[in-house]
Amino acid sequence: MNLIRDYRSDAATLATFEMRQAMANAEVGDDFSREDPTVNHLEEMSAKMFGKEAGLFVISCTMANQIAIMTSTHHGDEVLVGEESHIYNMETGGLAALAGVQTRSLRSSEGHFDFQDIQKSIRKRGLQVPMTKVLCLENTYDLNRGIPLSKEYISEVSLLAHKNDLLVYLDGARIFNAASALKVEPKILCKDIDIMQFSLCKGLSAPVGSVLLGTKDFIEKARRMRQRIGGGLAQAGHMAAAGVVALETMIDRIQDDNINAKNLAIGLANLNENIVNYEKTLTNIVQIDLKSVGKDAYYMSKDLEEHGIKIKVIDRETCRLVTHRGITAEDIEETINIIKNTIR
Ligand SMILES: *Cc1c(COP(=O)(O)O)cnc(C)c1O
């Protein structure tokens, strides 16, 4: 059998043996009554790790994002989102369909919103205007680029949002990649964030899950919203158990993914400096721009697939490779060689 190197997403990571054992052996109970000790443990350890009051285990980051906005807005409110963000582009219009809010998108430059843009987008209160309620951040930002947002930037935008009575929400699906790249403790990086979520199933390799974090009061309300959209689970501890192992064993190795992505980017830039900007490859996502080699990304992905390499096509000229636990330093060397032959 051909070795498959799956670079489409870090969600490709499989549960470890230890996770599977923990799932089988988990101590569980009825989570509707808050009697599942494993879920309670995962929620508490997550909250502590990020310096928040409370946590809520949910099935996916998408569900966490939707619950966060459903809980912190009323129908007809407005939320500010990044033009390249997951919550805006990749959740089947959930903010409109489920939360009933209007989105206002902000352009970014290298993942950073212009402060004047934010200020201009926050509406003055008035009888006829929607109320701007939440500023949505994402870290790392842009699922096709993985830009880490610094503590300083987050503090500054949060200050601006808070001055205007907005809540700051963070989609931190890949927050550990950001924290590792910036060499900052997750708790410090997210200090000014009011509500946030992180993924257990991307780099951390659990089979499912995300934990939503915020104040006790917010999480109580969020629990009702989770129930409303069918996200309440009976003995959820079997799944939470993998999340606990993920937090205990997978955070430190995230830095390897960032290093592997950097080496992949450097290797590809050595083939052709126009296809990858390795200086901007800061976490685990490498974007390839094929314009200068005149190769169609769809064809390239087909060619690579014949060599056991799976990538994500963004459009005809661009594609993305994501590193994760299933990709080793040797895989990176091999992949560079295979791509070298494909783009020749
Ligand atoms: C992957 C991802 C999500 C969605 O995660 P799921 O668990 O698949 O729903 C949300 N936000 C960002 C930034 C992501 O990268």
Side-chain angles (χ1 to χ4, degrees):
M1 198 184 82
N2 233 355
L3 175 66
I4 303 288
R5 298 184 176 96
D6 193 346
Y7 288 94
R8 286 173 300 179
S9 172
D10 38 8
T13 44
L14 302 179
T16 61
F17 179 69
E18 196 183 346
M19 286 177 192
R20 289 164 192 251
Q21 286 209 311
M23 291 172 77
N25 298 328
E27 201 187 326
V28 297
D30 179 35
D31 190 45
F32 294 106
S33 319
R34 315 278 293 273
E35 286 168 7
D36 189 307
T38 308
V39 172
N40 294 342
H41 179 50
L42 174 65
E43 291 175 348
E44 279 160 27
M45 76 188 279
S46 303
K48 201 164 162 216
M49 187 173 281
F50 286 91
K52 306 300 176 209
E53 283 178 19
L56 184 71
F57 177 57
V58 295
I59 277 304
S60 66
C61 296
T62 301
M63 186 182 269
N65 283 347
Q66 294 302 321
I67 292 173
I69 304 305
M70 287 166 71
T71 307
S72 46
T73 58
H74 291 112
H75 284 194
D77 285 344
E78 192 164 63
V79 300
L80 306 181
V81 295
E83 204 162 70
E84 294 90 0
S85 65
H86 195 283
I87 202 169
Y88 183 50
N89 296 300
M90 308 289 284
E91 302 187 6
T92 66
L95 292 185
L98 297 171
V101 296
Q102 173 165 303
T103 47
R104 185 152 181 176
S105 68
L106 298 169
R107 273 182 304 173
S108 84
S109 159
E110 292 309 309
H112 295 75
F113 303 137
D114 182 278
F115 283 53
Q116 282 180 345
D117 270 1
I118 301 178
Q119 188 72 63
K120 266 192 283 180
S121 302
I122 300 172
R123 297 176 189 271
K124 283 208 183 71
R125 300 277 147 118
L127 179 62
Q128 293 163 304
V129 290
M131 298 229 257
T132 317
K133 287 284 180 65
V134 186
L135 171 65
C136 297
L137 302 178
E138 188 179 287
N139 201 8
T140 62
Y141 183 72
D142 188 343
L143 71 150
N144 291 323
R145 298 217 10 227
I147 303 167
L149 304 181
S150 72
K151 160 84 179 102
E152 293 69 32
Y153 170 75
I154 293 172
S155 291
E156 278 182 67
V157 284
S158 300
L159 185 66
L160 176 59
H162 289 149
K163 269 190 190 156
N164 289 279
D165 295 326
L166 266 62
L167 276 175
V168 179
Y169 174 63
L170 173 74
D171 173 347
R174 296 194 178 88
I175 192 66
F176 293 109
N177 291 91
S180 174
L182 298 162
K183 301 194 185 348
V184 189
E185 289 277 310
K187 188 189 287 194
I188 293 172
L189 186 56
C190 300
K191 188 172 175 295
D192 298 307
I193 301 291
D194 300 304
I195 318 162
M196 63 171 290
Q197 163 266 121
F198 68 89
S199 178
L200 293 165
C201 95
K202 288 200 162 142
L204 296 190
S205 310
V208 291
S210 157
V211 184
L212 182 62
L213 303 167
T215 62
K216 279 205 176 85
D217 182 52
F218 167 79
I219 292 296
E220 279 319 300
K221 292 178 180 144
R223 196 177 291 280
R224 287 185 61 79
M225 291 301 164
R226 184 183 68 175
Q227 195 58 30
R228 177 170 292 171
I229 58 174
L233 301 164
Q235 296 86 32
H238 284 296
M239 283 175 288
V244 171
V245 176
L247 289 180
E248 284 170 352
T249 63
M250 291 289 148
I251 294 173
D252 289 346
R253 60 152 308 286
I254 289 281
Q255 64 173 338
D256 299 346
D257 298 342
N258 291 351
I259 292 167
N260 283 338
K262 180 66 114 182
N263 288 334
L264 177 60
I266 291 172
L268 295 175
N270 281 338
L271 301 179
N272 180 337
E273 61 180 6
N274 298 316
I275 63 171
V276 171
N277 188 333
Y278 70 87
E279 284 171 351
K280 287 184 183 169
T281 304
L282 298 172
T283 61
N284 66 328
I285 299 175
V286 180
Q287 189 175 121
I288 303 182
D289 181 341
L290 293 164
K291 243 194 305 315
S292 63
V293 289
K295 177 118 189 165
D296 186 305
Y298 290 95
Y299 288 121
M300 169 144 147
S301 109
K302 285 273 168 285
D303 286 351
L304 291 178
E305 199 150 349
E306 284 177 14
H307 293 90
I309 294 178
K310 296 188 178 193
I311 63 169
K312 182 186 143 187
V313 174
I314 300 167
D315 56 38
R316 282 196 175 283
E317 289 175 340
T318 32
C319 55
R320 161 189 111 156
L321 283 78
V322 183
T323 55
H324 51 77
R325 205 182 98 247
I327 302 288
T328 63
E330 293 77 54
D331 289 326
I332 297 293
E333 291 303 314
E334 275 288 303
T335 300
I336 293 166
N337 280 329
I338 293 167
I339 293 180
K340 182 176 170 182
N341 295 325
T342 330
I343 60 171
R344 223 188 347 229

